């Protein structure tokens, strides 16, 4: 699926309330007091989960794209500050090759680790004209990646809502232990999208606070919401990851 015209804005990035889709009230029929007289075995009832696993793969790719955008924002600033991006690049590459939950989580951890300190920004904001220009430009580009990340998260969370609802419904009829675990994994993928979105918002708020003095000195022309440039970035990364 090519996503050439992304209509989502921040106003549409409404987080799915994952707590409403928890396992409250769920019981496996035929096990420990399930309704009905027939005692069915765990492997007796199976359903076709191919559509749900396909949706799960799609949501994971959207999350991966969102985290790559977030990492790219870090890289822009890190480069201007003269810091290494080796580990970020390694984890981005791993995520592009295999957009699974572990690699998404690994990149998320690395994004946190590579956050810069206030004195890094303040030093460069008072440096040479070339250093100031480089940091200002990096901050501007990072802001586009920020909203590109939010666009991808918006897409992931939107799709995850329906996916989680379907998986929760399927859990009421599935009796095979393997499929029960598979459905729980699908639901957890949706919850992960919401959690990572919140974490990414927090990371960018921390960045804004840490870089506040430098921003006052340099006055970068940062994006205030998603725009054509951030949509292009989102599309490019989504295309590169197979969506």
């Amino acid at each position: 699926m090519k996503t050439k015209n992304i209509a989502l804005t921040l106003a549409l990035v409404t987080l799915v309330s994952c707590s409403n889709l928890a396992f409250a009230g769920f019981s496996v029929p035929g096990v420990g007091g399930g309704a009905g007289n027939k005692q069915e075995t765990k492997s007796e009832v199976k359903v076709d989960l191919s559509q749900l696993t396909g949706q799960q793969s799609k949501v994971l790719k959207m999350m991966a794209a969102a985290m790559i955008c977030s990492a790219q924002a870090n890289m822009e600033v890190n480069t201007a500050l003269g810091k290494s991006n080796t580990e970020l690049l390694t984890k981005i590459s791993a995520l592009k090759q295999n957009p699974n939950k572990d690699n998404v989580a690994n990149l998320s951890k690395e994004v946190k680790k590579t956050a810069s300190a206030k004195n890094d920004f303040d030093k460069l904001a008072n440096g040479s004209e070339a250093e100031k220009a480089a940091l200002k430009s990096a901050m501007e580009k990072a802001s586009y990646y920020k909203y590109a990340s939010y666009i991808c998260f918006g897409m992931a969370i939107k799709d995850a809502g329906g996916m989680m609802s379907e998986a929760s419904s399927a859990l009421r009829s599935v009796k095979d232990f393997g499929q029960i675990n598979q459905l729980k994994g699908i639901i957890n993928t949706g919850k992960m999208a919401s959690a990572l979105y919140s974490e990414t918002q927090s990371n960018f708020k921390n960045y804004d606070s840490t870089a506040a003095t430098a921003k006052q000195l340099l006055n970068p022309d940062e994006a205030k919401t998603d725009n054509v440039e951030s949509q292009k970035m989102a599309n490019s990364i989504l295309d590169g990851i197979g969506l």
Side-chain angles (χ1 to χ4, degrees):
M1 176 195 73
K2 298 292 184 180
T3 321
K4 293 301 181 187
N5 295 299
I6 301 175
L8 292 175
T9 64
L10 289 181
L12 297 179
V13 185
T14 302
L15 294 177
V16 176
S17 178
C18 297
S19 60
N20 293 333
L21 293 170
F23 302 116
F26 166 71
S27 62
V28 181
V31 181
N37 295 323
K38 185 180 178 183
Q39 294 299 309
E40 297 173 287
T41 62
K42 297 292 189 301
S43 59
E44 195 170 344
V45 177
K46 286 192 175 184
V47 297
D48 182 4
L49 300 182
S50 58
Q51 185 173 354
L52 273 172
T53 55
Q55 290 175 357
Q56 181 185 29
S57 175
K58 182 180 170 185
V59 169
L60 276 168
K61 287 181 178 180
M62 290 171 177
M63 274 197 286
M67 286 311 308
I68 289 169
C69 290
S70 178
Q72 289 287 158
N74 269 35
M75 286 176 59
E76 290 294 331
V77 174
N78 286 349
T79 299
L81 294 173
K83 299 174 67 174
S84 171
N85 290 313
T86 303
E87 287 301 315
L88 273 174
L89 286 168
T90 298
K91 287 178 171 58
I92 287 172
S93 177
L95 184 53
K96 285 180 177 179
Q97 291 174 25
N98 190 2
N100 60 31
K101 283 195 273 191
D102 285 343
N103 284 336
V104 169
N106 287 340
L107 182 56
S108 174
K109 290 175 185 175
E110 193 61 35
V111 167
K112 277 188 173 181
K113 282 171 59 178
T114 54
S116 299
K118 183 179 185 299
N119 57 353
D120 293 332
F121 289 101
D122 294 352
K123 180 180 178 181
L124 218 64
N126 289 286
S128 68
E129 291 304 313
E131 287 173 330
K132 289 189 284 188
L135 182 56
K136 180 178 179 178
S137 176
M139 287 176 164
E140 291 171 351
K141 195 163 184 181
S143 71
Y144 293 126
Y145 276 119
K146 168 184 176 178
Y147 290 106
S149 176
Y150 288 174
I151 287 170
C152 295
F153 271 125
M155 296 172 68
I157 292 166
K158 178 176 178 292
D159 282 19
M163 177 187 76
M164 293 170 73
S165 181
E166 288 180 39
S168 294
S169 295
L171 272 171
R172 299 188 185 100
S173 59
V174 170
K175 296 174 177 64
D176 178 77
F177 276 151
Q179 288 200 320
I180 288 170
N181 288 333
Q182 195 173 4
L183 286 165
K184 287 181 179 180
I186 288 168
I187 290 169
N188 285 336
T189 296
K191 291 180 178 181
M192 185 180 187
S194 178
L196 281 179
Y197 174 69
S198 296
E199 180 182 289
T200 299
Q201 284 185 305
S202 178
N203 289 344
F204 278 120
K205 284 179 183 177
N206 289 338
Y207 160 75
D208 287 337
S209 176
T210 302
T213 300
K215 288 183 180 185
Q216 288 176 357
L217 290 170
L218 300 177
N219 193 29
D221 185 18
E222 295 181 300
K224 303 303 179 188
T225 185
D226 62 323
N227 52 36
V228 172
E229 188 62 30
S230 59
Q231 289 181 16
K232 285 180 181 178
M233 289 174 168
N235 276 327
S236 176
I237 292 175
L238 287 163
D239 286 347
I241 211 161
L243 285 174

